[in-house]
């Protein structure tokens, strides 16, 4: 989990979030460090994000913004092909949104009373641990 300032663009820390991924394997072996796909909303639709994911071999399941679609169509053939969106996989994005909504049930997380990022991150981790223990 990476905590940033409220005014900072989420796309700027996407590389740091991807670098922190460690998924343990069922048996022995190194943990997986690369997800199969990244499911995100239109805020992550930039070409920079898509290229970064493609370089890492990660499938981008991100719809395009309306202005990006219009700009591509204005350019005609030079605009290129629209990136593929797997609509069935994109439907699973609600799981992440529900997890954020559940975390925001904690008033201290929703309002960000903590001044220090490390304290706020600890509260989010604690909320996640308590939520996971209830499942």
């Amino acid at each position: 989990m990476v905590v940033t300032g409220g005014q900072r663009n989420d796309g700027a820390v996407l590389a740091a979030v991807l670098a922190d991924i460690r998924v343990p394997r069922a048996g022995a072996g190194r943990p997986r460090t690369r997800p199969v796909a990244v499911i995100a909303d239109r805020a992550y639709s930039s070409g920079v994000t898509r290229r970064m994911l493609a370089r890492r071999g990660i499938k981008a399941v991100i719809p395009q913004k309306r202005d990006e679609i219009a700009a591509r169509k204005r350019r005609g053939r030079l605009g290129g092909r629209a990136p593929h969106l797997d609509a069935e996989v994109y439907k699973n994005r609600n799981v992440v949104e529900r997890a954020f909504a559940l975390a925001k049930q904690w008033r201290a997380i929703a309002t960000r009373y903590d001044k220090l990022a490390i304290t706020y991150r600890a509260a989010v981790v604690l909320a996640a641990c308590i939520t996971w223990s209830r499942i």
Side-chain angles (χ1 to χ4, degrees):
M1 174 182 322
V2 178
V3 177
T4 64
Q7 73 283 2
R8 184 126 187 240
N9 179 3
D10 292 341
V13 294
L14 181 61
V17 170
L18 290 174
D20 284 348
I21 293 176
R22 299 281 181 271
V23 179
R25 296 192 188 266
R30 291 186 343 214
R32 281 188 29 211
T33 58
R34 188 179 66 191
V36 174
V38 168
I39 305 171
D41 61 5
R42 287 181 170 89
Y44 292 91
S45 180
S46 73
V48 174
T49 302
R50 290 182 187 279
R51 284 189 295 275
M52 180 185 59
L53 293 173
R55 270 195 317 269
R56 294 172 183 241
I58 302 170
K59 179 180 173 183
V61 184
I62 307 170
Q64 275 195 307
K65 294 180 185 175
R66 289 187 185 109
D67 62 337
E68 289 176 356
I69 295 170
R72 184 175 39 78
K73 287 183 177 179
R74 255 193 328 269
R75 294 191 63 190
R77 280 187 9 193
L78 298 176
R81 202 176 343 179
H84 176 70
L85 175 67
D86 190 344
E88 287 301 313
V89 174
Y90 188 70
K91 288 179 184 177
N92 294 327
R93 188 174 149 259
N94 74 70
V95 175
V96 175
E97 295 299 329
R98 286 185 309 193
F100 280 115
L102 190 60
K104 288 184 177 181
Q105 292 296 313
W106 290 58
R107 195 166 92 188
I109 293 172
T111 56
R112 180 121 191 215
Y113 288 136
D114 300 312
K115 298 295 180 195
L116 299 176
I118 193 165
T119 311
Y120 181 74
R121 184 180 188 277
V124 172
V125 169
L126 178 63
C129 289
I130 291 172
T131 300
W132 289 330
S133 70
R134 290 181 181 169
I135 294 177

